[in-house]
Amino acid sequence: VDPAGEWAGQVEGAGSGVVVVFAPGRYGGCSAGGLALANGVALVGAAGAADSVIDCGGSGRHFAVTSGASVRIERLTLTGGAAAGANGNGGCVLVEGPGGSVVVADSVFSNCSAVAWGGAIAVRGRAALNISRSN
């Protein structure tokens, strides 16, 4: 995806097994509840976390992983995520179970907040999270 394009629609429309590659740039335009990610989707920064940045600017959560979905986030920076309201968990990513899972590698989470818990990532309801080489 390209930072000048409609990246959110491409991510939400991605089906199982799709790898969404983020070209270098700064992406914005997050929704309050976060983009719902389908099972088997991978989000990957083309040039690394320093060059592919998704900035919510405090306007909402980046991504929501629902029960039964398994996703991968690699080489991206997620910044400025904010979770508020009745489901104020997971400022950048909310992972819900049973069976929801996220693998994060070589990524950065910064300046994310939640009114409840999980400023960067919240995992609830027997969901799973695996993080490697990330800040």
Side-chain angles (χ1 to χ4, degrees):
V1 295
D2 186 298
E6 176 47 46
W7 71 272
Q10 292 176 1
V11 169
E12 272 198 316
S16 182
V18 172
V19 176
V20 179
V21 179
F22 286 79
R26 194 164 196 93
Y27 299 77
C30 300
S31 64
L35 296 175
L37 299 178
N39 185 36
V41 170
L43 308 175
V44 179
D51 295 316
S52 297
V53 178
I54 304 173
D55 187 352
C56 285
S59 66
R61 179 185 297 124
H62 293 79
F63 304 113
V65 179
T66 58
S67 179
S70 177
V71 303
R72 192 175 86 227
I73 298 171
E74 275 187 51
R75 299 191 311 260
L76 289 172
T77 291
L78 304 183
T79 188
N87 191 4
N89 302 307
C92 286
V93 180
L94 174 62
V95 187
E96 297 192 282
S101 69
V102 173
V103 172
V104 177
D106 303 308
S107 296
V108 176
F109 295 82
S110 68
N111 299 318
C112 297
S113 63
V115 296
W117 44 271
I121 303 172
V123 180
R124 42 187 248 177
R126 297 187 331 262
L129 174 65
N130 183 332
I131 301 175
S132 63
R133 300 176 311 277
S134 299
N135 297 320

